[in-house]
PDB file of all heavy atoms in Angstrom:
ATOM      1  N   ARG T  45     153.767 -37.230 138.406  1.00  0.00           N
ATOM      2  CA  ARG T  45     152.355 -37.260 138.643  1.00  0.00           C
ATOM      3  C   ARG T  45     151.926 -38.738 138.823  1.00  0.00           C
ATOM      4  O   ARG T  45     152.768 -39.572 138.707  1.00  0.00           O
ATOM      5  CB  ARG T  45     151.607 -36.704 137.449  1.00  0.00           C
ATOM      6  CG  ARG T  45     152.135 -37.319 136.111  1.00  0.00           C
ATOM      7  CD  ARG T  45     151.138 -37.484 135.040  1.00  0.00           C
ATOM      8  NE  ARG T  45     150.065 -38.361 135.458  1.00  0.00           N
ATOM      9  CZ  ARG T  45     150.187 -39.781 135.438  1.00  0.00           C
ATOM     10  NH1 ARG T  45     151.279 -40.377 135.083  1.00  0.00           N
ATOM     11  NH2 ARG T  45     149.186 -40.503 135.817  1.00  0.00           N
ATOM     12  N   GLY T  46     150.681 -38.888 139.272  1.00  0.00           N
ATOM     13  CA  GLY T  46     150.215 -40.237 139.648  1.00  0.00           C
ATOM     14  C   GLY T  46     150.435 -40.403 141.117  1.00  0.00           C
ATOM     15  O   GLY T  46     151.535 -40.112 141.656  1.00  0.00           O
ATOM     16  N   ALA T  47     149.390 -40.883 141.832  1.00  0.00           N
ATOM     17  CA  ALA T  47     149.390 -40.851 143.291  1.00  0.00           C
ATOM     18  C   ALA T  47     150.620 -41.556 143.909  1.00  0.00           C
ATOM     19  O   ALA T  47     151.250 -40.985 144.803  1.00  0.00           O
ATOM     20  CB  ALA T  47     148.036 -41.529 143.741  1.00  0.00           C
ATOM     21  N   ARG T  83     149.882 -30.392 145.328  1.00  0.00           N
ATOM     22  CA  ARG T  83     148.669 -30.836 144.758  1.00  0.00           C
ATOM     23  C   ARG T  83     147.761 -31.398 145.881  1.00  0.00           C
ATOM     24  O   ARG T  83     148.251 -32.168 146.691  1.00  0.00           O
ATOM     25  CB  ARG T  83     148.894 -31.980 143.723  1.00  0.00           C
ATOM     26  CG  ARG T  83     149.688 -31.448 142.428  1.00  0.00           C
ATOM     27  CD  ARG T  83     149.570 -32.454 141.355  1.00  0.00           C
ATOM     28  NE  ARG T  83     148.386 -32.411 140.554  1.00  0.00           N
ATOM     29  CZ  ARG T  83     148.052 -33.393 139.740  1.00  0.00           C
ATOM     30  NH1 ARG T  83     148.748 -34.453 139.438  1.00  0.00           N
ATOM     31  NH2 ARG T  83     146.859 -33.354 138.988  1.00  0.00           N
ATOM     32  N   ALA T 154     153.318 -43.673 136.815  1.00  0.00           N
ATOM     33  CA  ALA T 154     152.524 -43.157 137.961  1.00  0.00           C
ATOM     34  C   ALA T 154     153.030 -43.622 139.178  1.00  0.00           C
ATOM     35  O   ALA T 154     152.424 -43.325 140.311  1.00  0.00           O
ATOM     36  CB  ALA T 154     151.037 -43.516 137.777  1.00  0.00           C
ATOM     37  N   THR T 160     149.722 -49.440 138.965  1.00  0.00           N
ATOM     38  CA  THR T 160     148.595 -50.056 139.708  1.00  0.00           C
ATOM     39  C   THR T 160     147.672 -50.745 138.675  1.00  0.00           C
ATOM     40  O   THR T 160     147.882 -51.862 138.276  1.00  0.00           O
ATOM     41  CB  THR T 160     147.849 -49.034 140.498  1.00  0.00           C
ATOM     42  OG1 THR T 160     147.338 -48.001 139.621  1.00  0.00           O
ATOM     43  CG2 THR T 160     148.810 -48.373 141.544  1.00  0.00           C
ATOM     44  N   GLN T 187     146.983 -37.909 129.459  1.00  0.00           N
ATOM     45  CA  GLN T 187     147.830 -38.927 130.099  1.00  0.00           C
ATOM     46  C   GLN T 187     147.639 -40.272 129.381  1.00  0.00           C
ATOM     47  O   GLN T 187     148.514 -41.113 129.448  1.00  0.00           O
ATOM     48  CB  GLN T 187     147.535 -39.003 131.573  1.00  0.00           C
ATOM     49  CG  GLN T 187     147.983 -37.865 132.398  1.00  0.00           C
ATOM     50  CD  GLN T 187     146.930 -36.777 132.543  1.00  0.00           C
ATOM     51  OE1 GLN T 187     146.022 -36.590 131.660  1.00  0.00           O
ATOM     52  NE2 GLN T 187     146.887 -35.997 133.613  1.00  0.00           N
ATOM     53  N   ALA T 227     143.594 -44.766 141.619  1.00  0.00           N
ATOM     54  CA  ALA T 227     142.887 -43.886 142.552  1.00  0.00           C
ATOM     55  C   ALA T 227     143.845 -42.841 143.098  1.00  0.00           C
ATOM     56  O   ALA T 227     145.064 -43.122 143.303  1.00  0.00           O
ATOM     57  CB  ALA T 227     142.375 -44.654 143.677  1.00  0.00           C
ATOM     58  N   ASP T 228     143.333 -41.674 143.270  1.00  0.00           N
ATOM     59  CA  ASP T 228     144.142 -40.593 144.073  1.00  0.00           C
ATOM     60  C   ASP T 228     143.821 -40.628 145.546  1.00  0.00           C
ATOM     61  O   ASP T 228     144.634 -40.181 146.315  1.00  0.00           O
ATOM     62  CB  ASP T 228     143.942 -39.252 143.388  1.00  0.00           C
ATOM     63  CG  ASP T 228     144.590 -39.179 142.051  1.00  0.00           C
ATOM     64  OD1 ASP T 228     143.969 -39.616 141.038  1.00  0.00           O
ATOM     65  OD2 ASP T 228     145.757 -38.820 142.058  1.00  0.00           O
ATOM     66  N   ASN T 238     139.598 -40.117 141.338  1.00  0.00           N
ATOM     67  CA  ASN T 238     140.487 -40.465 140.298  1.00  0.00           C
ATOM     68  C   ASN T 238     140.345 -39.432 139.178  1.00  0.00           C
ATOM     69  O   ASN T 238     139.445 -38.531 139.276  1.00  0.00           O
ATOM     70  CB  ASN T 238     140.305 -41.887 139.843  1.00  0.00           C
ATOM     71  CG  ASN T 238     141.451 -42.415 138.956  1.00  0.00           C
ATOM     72  OD1 ASN T 238     142.620 -42.345 139.367  1.00  0.00           O
ATOM     73  ND2 ASN T 238     141.114 -42.763 137.755  1.00  0.00           N
ATOM     74  N   LYS T 239     141.133 -39.566 138.111  1.00  0.00           N
ATOM     75  CA  LYS T 239     141.096 -38.629 136.981  1.00  0.00           C
ATOM     76  C   LYS T 239     139.768 -38.386 136.565  1.00  0.00           C
ATOM     77  O   LYS T 239     138.947 -39.232 136.440  1.00  0.00           O
ATOM     78  CB  LYS T 239     141.975 -39.222 135.913  1.00  0.00           C
ATOM     79  CG  LYS T 239     142.058 -38.428 134.695  1.00  0.00           C
ATOM     80  CD  LYS T 239     142.507 -36.917 134.905  1.00  0.00           C
ATOM     81  CE  LYS T 239     143.832 -36.833 135.616  1.00  0.00           C
ATOM     82  NZ  LYS T 239     144.081 -35.358 136.101  1.00  0.00           N
TER      83      LYS T 239
HETATM   84  O1  LIG C   1     146.516 -35.540 137.219  1.00  0.00           O
HETATM   85  P1  LIG C   1     147.330 -36.861 137.278  1.00  0.00           P
HETATM   86  O2  LIG C   1     147.952 -37.301 136.032  1.00  0.00           O
HETATM   87  O3  LIG C   1     148.287 -36.880 138.423  1.00  0.00           O
HETATM   88  O4  LIG C   1     146.158 -37.923 137.641  1.00  0.00           O
HETATM   89  C1  LIG C   1     146.449 -39.263 137.882  1.00  0.00           C
HETATM   90  C2  LIG C   1     145.374 -40.165 138.097  1.00  0.00           C
HETATM   91  O5  LIG C   1     144.214 -39.760 138.172  1.00  0.00           O
HETATM   92  C3  LIG C   1     145.802 -41.612 138.366  1.00  0.00           C
HETATM   93  O6  LIG C   1     144.725 -42.449 137.877  1.00  0.00           O
HETATM   94  C4  LIG C   1     145.923 -41.880 139.908  1.00  0.00           C
HETATM   95  O7  LIG C   1     146.888 -40.937 140.427  1.00  0.00           O
HETATM   96  C5  LIG C   1     146.377 -43.195 140.149  1.00  0.00           C
HETATM   97  S1  LIG C   1     147.989 -43.526 139.469  1.00  0.00           S
HETATM   98  C6  LIG C   1     148.431 -45.176 139.857  1.00  0.00           C
END
Side-chain angles (χ1 to χ4, degrees):
R45 48 146 298 282
R83 289 193 85 191
T160 62
Q187 289 92 329
D228 287 87
N238 191 54
K239 179 54 54 191

